[in-house]
Amino acid sequence: MIPSLKNNQEFPLSYDTQDFNEAVSRIIRHKQSVIKFDSILSSADGAVFPGDYTLGRISHNCFKNCTFDSACLHDVAGLGVTFDHTVFKNAKITYALFQNCVITDCLFENCDMEDTHLGFGYISDSVWTGCNINGLGFSGSYMKNCRFVDNKGRFGNMGNACFDNVYFKEHRLTNMNLEYSEFKDVTMEQVTLPFSQMPYIFGGLDYLLNTNDSVTISSRINDDGCISPKEYRDVLKDMIVFFSYKQEYFPLANILLAFHHDKEAWIAVLSGIVAACKQKDFRMCKYYCKLITMRNIATQDQLNMLYQTLIDNSQVNQMTDAQYHEYNLYMPEIRDMLCYNPHKYPTAELRLQTNITDIESEKMMLLQRGLDNIIHLDDYPLEHPSIEISHNSPFDIIIHLCGTPATILIVAALILNIISKVCDTYNNLAQAISNTQEIRLNQDTIELNKLEKAKLSSEIENLELQNEKLRLELDKEQKTITESGIIIVKADMTCNDFNPYKWL
């Protein structure tokens, strides 16, 4: 039997400093990843790093409140590394790989970042100023509350990146990849955008056709090397003809949506999905689905029909192994996008650890019935709520919640209400949800309803007073569960798209 590690129990293998130093001396004789094994560059809080760390390996390390002053991080590998409240000043960060990194509240000042890759990470509240950003890539990264000011050079690959409240000043975003990135919220000053790529950017044309920012679009039709957004609008009309004739349906649909030709755009998306399915290009299918759901122009029945069209044209039995891999990779996301959560509401899971064993089916049915009643309240509609029961005994229950943040929190609070007398202990989050006094507005772009400005506890109290049927139902479920002998050992909540602690 594999032993477990109890709380506060030390790791069973223990070595002293002499053992460690002797092991390091033997390892570094091989002259491989010396910086890693010499611990010259590793996780730190409040440290200053001024040295040469070329070829360093710092994957999954964490640097907090640190300063890299004139440091050399050339060709450093830092997959999954975290930089928090860290300053990079006059640093050489060239040809480095920081994929899947987390960068928060950081400053990059006068740094050389040529050909460094910061892809597929989460980057927030950070500033790049006076840097050489030639070839600096952010492909697939989510960037929030960031600023790029007075840098030199041209970015590298930024395809599939999301720009959420990102500011660019004096940059030429041309001769680099921006396809299938998303302009969720951008502000630009003295920026030139790419002529041919704009129809391939989510939100790019909406921004360009409605902004008052000082932006231009690359063009060699004049000596200036650029045209205005107004002039580009006329070009887009010719692009409709071009993409229609070439049967390139994604840029065509994007342009049509920007001009509010919704019916024609829907037909283009439908045609594009059929064509992509024939090519077994399911990533492209995902892009079409994202494009149509972002604009909220289709009914749920139409989205269901779109999903069925995709299924009917996929022909799974004729796929190669590679095609089937791509199919399984993207279809769950497509299904959620079209059928389960087209409005992109936040999602959360409320986990209840019970004392119910596999021979107590009546208790499980009783608890499941009470929970099911709560997650299907008409006054607080969730998007396709569900209950999942673990296979291990005693059973855990996972309640999947999807909706506006206020709806998720209210339903979670009502669930905690009916189990409150049988829950041995609430964790901090569960108790906070039960006793919270207000919901604070967050900065998400999801449309907020009036309940999100109210006090959660007051709202629940008013709900019970105004809805006698609900109050009686809650009392009944609470009494039934309390008298059943069910014990909720622990209640916990995990959220995918918003941090519930910020609401409490």
Side-chain angles (χ1 to χ4, degrees):
M1 183 176 179
I2 299 176
S4 60
L5 202 62
K6 299 180 180 179
N7 292 339
N8 300 320
Q9 181 180 349
E10 292 186 0
F11 187 72
L13 300 180
S14 179
Y15 301 100
D16 59 25
T17 303
Q18 182 178 347
D19 293 331
F20 173 76
N21 290 335
E22 290 176 354
V24 168
S25 66
R26 289 190 293 269
I27 291 173
I28 63 176
R29 288 169 56 192
H30 296 273
K31 298 181 180 180
Q32 300 292 307
S33 301
V34 173
I35 291 177
K36 174 180 178 61
F37 292 110
D38 231 355
S39 302
I40 298 173
L41 184 63
S42 59
S43 296
D45 187 347
V48 177
F49 296 96
D52 185 349
Y53 309 103
T54 298
L55 295 174
R57 297 294 179 264
I58 57 172
S59 297
H60 303 288
N61 278 238
C62 180
F63 299 88
K64 186 174 182 180
N65 302 311
C66 293
T67 300
F68 289 82
D69 191 352
S70 302
C72 181
L73 298 170
H74 175 72
D75 207 12
V76 165
L79 277 72
V81 70
T82 295
F83 295 111
D84 183 13
H85 288 84
T86 292
V87 174
F88 298 83
K89 188 173 182 180
N90 301 315
K92 183 178 181 180
I93 316 171
T94 52
Y95 298 91
L97 179 63
F98 293 117
Q99 190 165 307
N100 301 111
C101 64
V102 175
I103 298 176
T104 55
D105 292 284
C106 290
L107 171 64
F108 296 83
E109 183 177 0
N110 298 323
C111 295
D112 184 358
M113 304 193 71
E114 183 171 0
D115 287 329
T116 283
H117 186 50
L118 298 172
F120 304 100
Y122 184 88
I123 304 169
S124 68
D125 303 287
S126 297
V127 177
W128 282 257
T129 180
C131 296
N132 171 20
I133 48 89
N134 201 44
L136 175 62
F138 294 93
S139 60
S141 287
Y142 190 98
M143 309 187 68
K144 186 178 181 68
N145 304 331
C146 292
R147 295 171 61 86
F148 294 90
V149 181
D150 301 332
N151 298 296
K152 300 175 182 178
R154 289 175 177 169
F155 291 103
N157 186 6
M158 300 179 83
N160 290 286
C162 180
F163 304 100
D164 185 0
N165 192 26
V166 176
Y167 173 75
F168 294 92
K169 181 181 178 183
E170 296 187 6
H171 284 86
R172 190 172 178 87
L173 303 181
T174 61
N175 297 325
M176 39 85 72
N177 182 31
L178 271 170
E179 289 188 358
Y180 307 111
S181 62
E182 180 180 353
F183 284 10
K184 190 172 184 179
D185 181 10
V186 294
T187 303
M188 299 186 179
E189 184 178 347
Q190 299 177 18
V191 171
T192 301
L193 293 167
F195 179 91
S196 61
Q197 292 189 61
M198 293 307 297
Y200 293 88
I201 298 173
F202 294 101
L205 294 177
D206 294 312
Y207 163 75
L208 192 60
L209 298 180
N210 296 284
T211 187
N212 292 318
D213 294 350
S214 55
V215 295
T216 57
I217 301 88
S218 62
S219 171
R220 294 184 180 179
I221 200 170
N222 55 40
D223 293 336
D224 296 330
C226 60
I227 58 176
S228 68
K230 183 178 180 180
E231 292 170 310
Y232 190 68
R233 175 185 286 268
D234 294 332
V235 175
L236 289 174
K237 296 175 183 178
D238 287 330
M239 285 189 178
I240 291 177
V241 178
F242 174 85
F243 290 125
S244 296
Y245 183 82
K246 296 286 289 184
Q247 296 183 348
E248 290 193 46
Y249 296 112
F250 183 90
L252 175 61
N254 206 2
I255 297 171
L256 291 170
L257 287 170
F259 284 128
H260 303 289
H261 299 322
D262 294 345
K263 291 182 180 179
E264 293 84 354
W266 171 260
I267 295 173
V269 166
L270 193 60
S271 301
I273 282 182
V274 171
C277 284
K278 290 181 179 179
Q279 296 177 357
K280 303 296 186 288
D281 189 348
F282 298 106
R283 179 169 60 176
M284 196 68 232
C285 289
K286 184 188 79 168
Y287 292 149
Y288 282 114
C289 296
K290 178 178 177 178
L291 186 64
I292 207 69
T293 55
M294 281 181 64
R295 299 303 292 253
N296 197 26
I297 64 169
T299 65
Q300 187 59 59
D301 287 341
Q302 288 175 314
L303 295 178
N304 291 340
M305 183 270 286
L306 194 64
Y307 181 70
Q308 191 59 49
T309 299
L310 200 156
I311 295 295
D312 293 342
N313 286 274
S314 295
Q315 299 178 321
V316 177
N317 60 329
Q318 299 179 18
M319 292 181 186
T320 65
D321 288 346
Q323 291 168 344
Y324 192 62
H325 171 78
E326 293 294 295
Y327 178 83
N328 287 326
L329 181 64
Y330 293 109
M331 282 304 294
E333 188 176 356
I334 291 172
R335 182 174 60 249
D336 288 342
M337 200 181 302
L338 294 180
C339 303
Y340 296 150
N341 189 17
H343 303 297
K344 299 181 178 63
Y345 285 134
T347 58
E349 292 179 353
L350 183 59
R351 294 173 172 265
L352 306 179
Q353 184 179 340
T354 77
N355 69 335
I356 302 173
T357 65
D358 53 6
I359 62 173
E360 297 176 298
S361 58
E362 290 185 1
K363 287 185 179 181
M364 178 55 68
M365 292 174 59
L366 184 152
L367 180 58
Q368 186 175 2
R369 184 196 65 193
L371 297 173
D372 193 73
N373 289 339
I374 299 301
I375 66 177
H376 288 98
L377 290 173
D378 292 336
D379 291 337
Y380 294 94
L382 295 163
E383 296 281 331
H384 301 283
S386 63
I387 297 174
E388 177 184 348
I389 301 173
S390 70
H391 293 290
N392 298 323
S393 177
F395 294 107
D396 288 353
I397 296 178
I398 304 171
I399 308 162
H400 299 278
L401 307 174
C402 175
T404 65
T407 302
I408 290 176
L409 290 174
I410 288 173
V411 171
L414 294 176
I415 291 173
L416 294 175
N417 178 284
I418 68 171
I419 66 170
S420 60
K421 294 186 178 180
V422 299
C423 190
D424 278 357
T425 176
Y426 286 112
N427 67 353
N428 293 335
L429 175 58
Q431 191 157 12
I433 292 176
S434 296
N435 301 328
T436 184
Q437 293 300 310
E438 75 178 276
I439 297 176
R440 300 174 184 168
L441 293 178
N442 71 353
Q443 298 176 350
D444 291 342
T445 57
I446 298 171
E447 182 178 359
L448 303 176
N449 65 29
K450 61 181 181 180
L451 295 179
E452 293 167 349
K453 300 178 182 178
K455 293 182 177 180
L456 179 59
S457 57
S458 298
E459 179 58 39
I460 296 173
E461 183 179 352
N462 291 335
L463 177 64
E464 294 179 1
L465 291 174
Q466 295 171 9
N467 192 331
E468 181 68 13
K469 182 180 178 181
L470 176 61
R471 187 185 67 79
L472 293 174
E473 182 69 21
L474 289 175
D475 289 345
K476 177 184 175 181
E477 297 294 353
Q478 185 186 73
K479 181 179 179 182
T480 302
I481 292 173
T482 302
E483 293 176 350
S484 68
I486 296 172
I487 296 295
I488 306 298
V489 179
K490 183 180 180 182
D492 199 3
M493 190 172 184
T494 58
C495 304
N496 295 333
D497 304 313
F498 76 106
N499 184 349
Y501 286 101
K502 293 182 180 179
W503 292 76
L504 307 171

